[in-house]
Amino acid sequence: MSNAYNRPDQLSPELRKRVLDTARRLGYPGPDPVARSLRTRKAGAVGLLLTENLSYAFRDPGAISFLEGLSLACEDAGHGLLLIPASPEREDVASVHRAGVDGFVVYSVPEDDPHLAAVLERPVPVVVCDQPRLDNLDWVGPDDARAIKSMADHLIKLGHRRIGVSCMRLARGRNDGLASVQRQANASFHVQKSRLTALAESFSEAGVDWTKVPVVERFDHTAASGASAARQLLDLDPDITAIVCTSDILALGALNEARSRGLRVPEDLTVTGFDGIADAERAGLTTVRQPVLEKGRAAGRLLLETSEPGRPREVVLETQLITGTTAAPPRSREERWFGP
Amino acid sequence: MSNAYNRPDQLSPELRKRVLDTARRLGYPGPDPVARSLRTRKAGAVGLLLTENLSYAFRDPGAISFLEGLSLACEDAGHGLLLIPASPEREDVASVHRAGVDGFVVYSVPEDDPHLAAVLERPVPVVVCDQPRLDNLDWVGPDDARAIKSMADHLIKLGHRRIGVSCMRLARGRNDGLASVQRQANASFHVQKSRLTALAESFSEAGVDWTKVPVVERFDHTAASGASAARQLLDLDPDITAIVCTSDILALGALNEARSRGLRVPEDLTVTGFDGIADAERAGLTTVRQPVLEKGRAAGRLLLETSEPGRPREVVLETQLITGTTAAPPRSREERWFGP
DNA sequence: GTGAAAGCGCTAACAC
DNA sequence: GTGTTAGCGCTTTCAC
């Protein structure tokens, strides 16, 4: 009978049909998937752990593209994709324990996330995407430092020396405001940290005192946050010539804020982003594009391919500086006040 | 030991800690979720069945909002969301059989979908969203007939009598072209069918011979398809004054096609949509808005609430006619040729 | 508070 | 091609 369901080739078609018909007539609903999983030690599904509320994954364009890529890989392998409810507020790790999956993809979570710890305890393969960087774990992501360095160099070449930075959440706790150099250094979100570090390095080399550069952090990753961050930066120092954002969403918000202040971009203010989401490219944002869909697909593939244990793999994705229309040489203070 | 993991209150904290520490030291990875599921008969997850390739779900704005709502409901209940790989091409139903879930949400699939049949065989609750309408099954969706009727009445009142219709897939087989009245009647996608039926009814009442109204069908749900459908309609009958689309995506494509033909909307051509996705409202499309996110949430809630068996529930969502800027009274043939 | 045992439904192995 | 059986790892129950 098990054969009738699982190995059609092991018995004659008519017998198979007879068995199946009888089973159905008796009200047998087919093999129980959970019992089968227990026996075969295969769940046929991949678990996805996100930092945010589940629903956030469907609101962030980057996350959506990532999911698209990941689902492509899962589909190719005939695997399901289990989205694990793990809100940052709730410390409830049970959902990770309950997940019947053959492995986990961890997407951009802080190193000290309790859900991550729970995932790592499970005896199944794990692939990390973006962050955190952990030894012994497969990883896929862009070379963040190198990518943002290309942006920094671009801005430095344009002549910007007095800048402000708008960045995403640096740690699990909410902090909407200035991020001290110390907070930057202690960030538990590796991606943000390495972007800031690379920015600091580039601008320091160009003679900028990084301790004087205002870095404003926002917990929520929305355009509204980006606008308020830009507002804070411009209030703090109206003479900054550029706002460097560590994501396109924040940059799009900054663009809105500039507009509502009557600042022309890029004449009065340069704004840059990171990611290369569709909305940003549509808006002509100067940004760094990373292949987000490909990232998801690579993460899925890595997880579903068998790997040699003890030899963590690494997929580094190419990034590309997109010169849009939101970055230009800064104007002198006088020009800014009195027009062209 | 089981108690240590599952019922912290049943034993003293220090004992619990001792047990857990020992377990960890012995390399015990925590209770196996699959075995637990088998025993408790609970998977802690909801399965989602879609018509399309999984990845499509992340490309269609409507599907994305639906998923957002569904994930909200799942998260509230601490349940995971398992996306089931069920491409329309592959007839492989195994993924449904393998899904370790407590119930299924079926999102907009045709009545003759083999995956749906497989879902219905499973002894777990099922909630259908949009289509198909089946007796004995919980259902959530808008009143499609009534919703599109409000649009039809709007167009009739504006004076449109010579229209073309652009609709989505009517059956599982690909058919990019005219859909005969018979094909309309035999459609296995209930939503499209009831929209067409309601349109036919309204326009017939207004004196239009429905058998003469060109209805063009497209398999792929993309703006490009919408554009090509509009092209076909306008080639077939350049004198139509309105293109009624059964989705916003198709309508957005029709808008593109109108633009590239030099037709002004709404002066030369009226275009209408259905759904109320953000892009459409941004474009000023005249459309019918349905609360897509709410639909997903309602489906999830329905599934996770315990229901009285044998009494199928029904959630009918409110829709709203959005009068945008893409519908206006038709101009006479002369006006159309010679300008205002 | 502890320990032993039954059994969830399946598949794989092996004997017929 | 068929029938029987052990055991996947857990939770629950019951006896202590």
Side-chain angles (χ1 to χ4, degrees), chain B residues 7-222:
Chain B
R7 262 168 317 204
D9 47 309
Q10 293 288 305
L11 24 64
S12 62
E14 67 265 28
L15 171 60
R16 177 175 144 86
K17 184 167 170 9
R18 197 157 52 83
V19 172
L20 260 38
D21 282 353
T22 313
R24 179 154 321 173
R25 195 155 37 70
L26 262 37
Y28 176 71
D32 178 304
V34 175
R36 173 189 288 180
S37 275
L38 175 60
R39 184 63 238 245
T40 59
R41 322 259 57 199
K42 283 184 176 37
V46 167
L48 175 64
L49 181 68
L50 300 149
T51 336
E52 292 280 345
N53 291 313
L54 253 192
S55 60
Y56 173 82
F58 301 104
R59 248 174 286 127
D60 181 303
I64 291 172
S65 291
F66 175 82
L67 277 164
E68 184 183 344
L70 180 56
S71 68
L72 242 25
C74 288
E75 195 152 48
D76 279 350
H79 274 57
L81 178 55
L82 179 65
L83 309 180
I84 294 163
S87 48
E89 301 99 38
R90 254 190 302 175
E91 298 262 312
D92 181 16
V93 164
S95 54
V96 173
H97 289 142
R98 288 204 306 177
V101 296
D102 299 320
F104 288 91
V105 170
V106 171
Y107 180 63
S108 206
V109 314
E111 52 182 344
D112 53 354
D113 187 315
H115 297 97
L116 171 62
V119 162
L120 295 181
E121 277 174 8
R122 294 272 309 259
V124 294
V126 175
V127 171
V128 173
C129 198
D130 286 347
Q131 54 191 354
R133 289 300 294 247
L134 293 175
D135 300 337
N136 315 322
L137 241 43
D138 290 338
W139 180 86
V140 29
D143 183 339
D144 272 297
R146 189 153 162 269
I148 200 140
K149 200 167 172 1
S150 71
M151 176 63 81
D153 291 344
H154 180 60
L155 294 174
I156 290 165
K157 200 174 295 168
L158 286 174
H160 294 277
R161 293 297 182 277
R162 194 152 176 176
I163 66 165
V165 177
S166 165
C167 73
M168 290 165 64
R169 196 183 297 181
L170 294 179
R172 293 208 291 134
R174 180 182 283 271
N175 171 47
D176 289 315
L178 273 175
S180 65
V181 173
Q182 167 150 26
R183 187 174 170 85
Q184 295 173 38
N186 290 339
S188 60
F189 282 86
H190 291 190
V191 168
Q192 295 298 308
K193 182 177 168 177
S194 63
R195 290 184 192 167
L196 291 176
T197 306
L199 279 177
E201 214 175 284
S202 294
F203 278 95
S204 296
E205 279 172 18
V208 174
D209 179 358
W210 187 256
T211 60
K212 301 249 168 65
V213 173
V215 175
V216 160
E217 171 183 356
R218 284 295 181 273
F219 189 82
D220 295 319
H221 189 219
T222 61

Side-chain angles (χ1 to χ4, degrees), chain A residues 27 37 42 50 65-66 69 73 79 110 133 137 184 188 194 202 217 227 237-238 249 263 267:
Chain A
S37 277
K42 281 181 177 39
L50 300 147
S65 291
F66 175 81
H79 274 57
R133 287 303 290 250
L137 242 42
Q184 295 173 38
S188 59
S194 63
S202 294
E217 172 184 354
D237 180 0
I249 300 276
L263 289 175
E267 293 83 354

Side-chain angles (χ1 to χ4, degrees), chain A residues 20-216:
Chain A
L20 261 39
D21 282 353
T22 313
R24 177 152 326 172
R25 196 155 36 70
L26 262 36
Y28 176 69
D32 179 305
V34 175
R36 172 190 288 180
S37 277
L38 175 59
R39 186 63 240 248
T40 60
R41 322 257 57 200
K42 281 181 177 39
V46 166
L48 175 64
L49 181 69
L50 300 147
T51 335
E52 291 279 345
N53 291 314
L54 252 193
S55 61
Y56 172 82
F58 301 104
R59 247 174 288 126
D60 180 304
I64 291 172
S65 291
F66 175 81
L67 277 162
E68 184 182 344
L70 180 56
S71 68
L72 241 25
C74 288
E75 195 153 48
D76 280 350
H79 274 57
L81 177 56
L82 180 66
L83 310 180
I84 294 164
S87 48
E89 302 99 37
R90 253 189 302 174
E91 298 263 313
D92 180 15
V93 162
S95 54
V96 173
H97 288 141
R98 287 204 307 175
V101 296
D102 298 319
F104 288 92
V105 170
V106 171
Y107 180 62
S108 207
V109 314
E111 52 183 345
D112 53 355
D113 187 314
H115 298 97
L116 172 63
V119 162
L120 295 180
E121 277 175 8
R122 294 273 307 261
V124 293
V126 174
V127 172
V128 173
C129 199
D130 286 346
Q131 55 192 352
R133 287 303 290 250
L134 293 175
D135 300 338
N136 316 322
L137 242 42
D138 291 338
W139 180 85
V140 28
D143 183 340
D144 271 297
R146 189 153 162 268
I148 201 139
K149 200 167 170 5
S150 71
M151 176 64 80
D153 292 344
H154 180 59
L155 294 174
I156 289 166
K157 200 175 297 169
L158 286 174
H160 294 279
R161 294 295 182 278
R162 193 150 176 178
I163 67 166
V165 177
S166 164
C167 73
M168 289 164 64
R169 195 184 297 181
L170 294 179
R172 295 208 293 133
R174 180 181 283 271
N175 171 45
D176 290 315
L178 273 176
S180 65
V181 173
Q182 166 149 25
R183 186 172 170 87
Q184 295 173 38
N186 290 339
S188 59
F189 282 87
H190 291 190
V191 167
Q192 295 298 309
K193 181 178 170 179
S194 63
R195 290 185 192 167
L196 291 176
T197 306
L199 279 176
E201 214 176 283
S202 294
F203 277 96
S204 296
E205 279 173 19
V208 174
D209 178 359
W210 187 256
T211 60
K212 300 248 169 67
V213 173
V215 174
V216 160

